[in-house]
Amino acid sequence: MPERPHSIAKANTSEISPSAAEPRSHDATGGAALDQSFHAAVAAATGGLSPAALALSFTDLALHLAASPGRQIELCANAVQDAARFCAMTSRPFSQFRPWQLLSPAANDRRFVGDDWLLPPFNLNAQAFLLCERWWRSTTDLHGLATGDAAIAAFALRQMLDAVAPTNFPTTNPKVIRHALETGGMSFVNGFENWLADAWRLAGGAGASRDGFVIGKDVATAKGRVVFRNHLIELIQYEPTTATVKPEPLLIVPAWIMKYYILDLSPGNSLVRYLTGQGFTVFMISWRNPTSEDRDLSLEDYRLLGVEAALSEIQSIMPGRAVHGMGYCLGGTLLAIALAAASPERRAAWRTLTMLAAQTDFTEAGELTLFINESQVAFLEDMMREKGVLGSQQMAGAFSMLRSNDLIWSRIVRHYLLGERTSPSDLMAWNADATRMPARMHSEYLRSLFLRNDLAEGRHIAGGRPIALSDLRTPMFAVGTREDHVAPWRSVYKVHNLTDAAVTFVLTSGGHNAGILAPPDQVGHRYQIMSRAADDTYLGPEEWQRLAPITEGSWWEALTAFLATHSGGPVAPPAYPATAESLPEAPGSYVHQE
């Protein structure tokens, strides 16, 4: 393990949770050791997915289908009816053909967009596929089938159907055929060269390419410097860009499953630059990319060496100032845990709490929960026990499968069948810069947050005691994104049920990442916003969506208005602490760790 910097004294080992400081043994013996090794080997071949979890779901589906003769008759009748309608359509002369007569793609299905897909042979093939796809998906609609098993089976069926879509084959995709004719076949040559380049890079152990985006030059370019470092974080203080600033600094806690600079991408797409331009002193946590030697870091360590250590450093730089807290995704969850675990005096140090696509109740945590059940978590634990960390490829693969058409198959078609390369972007470069997670911490948050929902139900242990989010009174600004597959907005909305704080809730267009990145000078953004006082009557998410006014533009402007409302008058910007002289300038060193 690399030597810890001198500044770890501000968050020394006495601050590490007692359970994390004790030595632990990960070495099983006898049959258990053999089982763990076997599971780890299987995990390497399955990308971390548990075959047992998948088999159990399909067994549940098969047993319920076998015990439902009426449903079997309905499915057979639907298949015969669809086949008869399709045969009747194909028997007509082409002069009577109309595209999408039987079934048209869903509004969010972009696979069959383009005039070439309206031509009879290709359109007929597409309609046949969509009819089959609809029928197979209907097989999971069974009375008595467990909701989780139905969701897993439907997800697995979707992956198989997505793989055999006519868009994925050169002879059934008219766009591929047309492009090949226009290029004299060079598109296939270029596609093969792209495939060789990608295969060579993966064989060398490299992940997805950052497409020439250099950290500190093209992304993560906001000026500042690291003002504190311990074994887990670097704390970045950004330079002011206004003559005066709000007296209350802002601490941003990003998720640890990706690098922090999602909030400081290219200069025109940086929330950090926007906030400093609005007169806020911004601090950012940059998480260390853990190695196998960090296997024993716990979720409690992330709270103490992360949020608590950062808050203490900010208070030493700007004594007597309350702090605006902002957390993105799991960073927001961790920030909520930190506030709930704090003493009343410590909690008073936080002026506001902003939650960006962050969940506090995980009962409806989106399609990511398909990968989280007892069988799957135990399988991951055996895999992590050998390496000490969850590799970056496992998490990246899971996120890609949630949107396989957009993130896997469309790229395969573009790169290898069309011979093109997706235009590089700062968001794609960040997405390729995945991180690892310590085995203990990853297991703890999967079990405590996702499996048992301890945080929402008052059982999560922090600071040696169970905590409750109902203790939070800090004014909150919560953001959900309409197309979020990771933290569905209705799940984010549940913060209304769990806290006794005043909540301003925003529902913005876009997904988990693109919805959060909404610079005011970019067109196409829109959001709904409405506030609830601490003693107001509860509104359900559907009623809130119906009543909240729609605003064209960026929700970033609403955020700064909220923060300004809870801030004091302008003051002079703070200086860097003297202890920061030996530390690097932003973006620091931890962000460069592979």
Side-chain angles (χ1 to χ4, degrees), residues 248-331:
E248 297 82 5
L250 172 68
L251 170 63
I252 302 179
V253 182
W256 52 84
I257 60 176
M258 287 286 188
K259 300 292 180 69
Y260 82 86
Y261 61 90
I262 177 65
L263 300 176
D264 181 30
L265 290 175
S266 54
N269 204 19
S270 169
L271 179 59
V272 168
R273 286 176 177 267
Y274 177 77
L275 289 169
T276 56
Q278 298 298 309
F280 292 95
T281 301
V282 177
F283 291 83
M284 175 81 78
I285 286 178
S286 173
W287 298 104
R288 184 174 182 269
N289 196 3
T291 67
S292 59
E293 295 180 343
D294 299 310
R295 62 166 67 238
D296 286 334
L297 286 174
S298 67
L299 188 58
E300 182 74 345
D301 295 330
Y302 272 68
R303 179 180 73 88
L304 294 173
L305 296 179
V307 176
E308 290 297 334
L311 177 61
S312 295
E313 179 63 22
I314 293 171
Q315 288 178 323
S316 70
I317 296 173
M318 304 176 70
R321 308 280 181 85
V323 178
H324 295 297
M326 177 183 294
Y328 180 32
C329 189
L330 284 174

Side-chain angles (χ1 to χ4, degrees), residues 82 86 89-90 97-106 109-137 161-162 164-169 171-175 405:
D82 286 345
F86 184 78
M89 179 181 64
T90 57
F97 176 79
R98 289 183 296 106
W100 312 120
Q101 294 179 52
L102 299 183
L103 186 63
S104 58
D109 188 347
R110 296 186 289 271
R111 290 175 294 182
F112 306 105
V113 172
D115 292 339
D116 286 338
W117 282 107
L118 303 180
L119 299 174
F122 302 110
N123 191 264
L124 288 171
N125 197 22
Q127 288 189 76
F129 170 77
L130 291 173
L131 287 170
C132 290
E133 185 179 54
R134 183 178 67 177
W135 186 87
W136 275 107
R137 290 181 176 179
L161 290 166
D162 287 348
V164 297
T167 48
N168 300 335
F169 301 93
T171 56
T172 54
N173 188 329
K175 186 175 181 180
N405 278 329

Side-chain angles (χ1 to χ4, degrees), residues 242 244-249 278-281 318 321 324 560 563-565 567-574:
T242 54
T244 58
V245 297
K246 307 291 191 298
E248 297 82 5
Q278 298 298 309
F280 292 95
T281 301
M318 304 176 70
R321 308 280 181 85
H324 295 297
T560 52
L563 295 175
T565 299
S567 299
V571 298

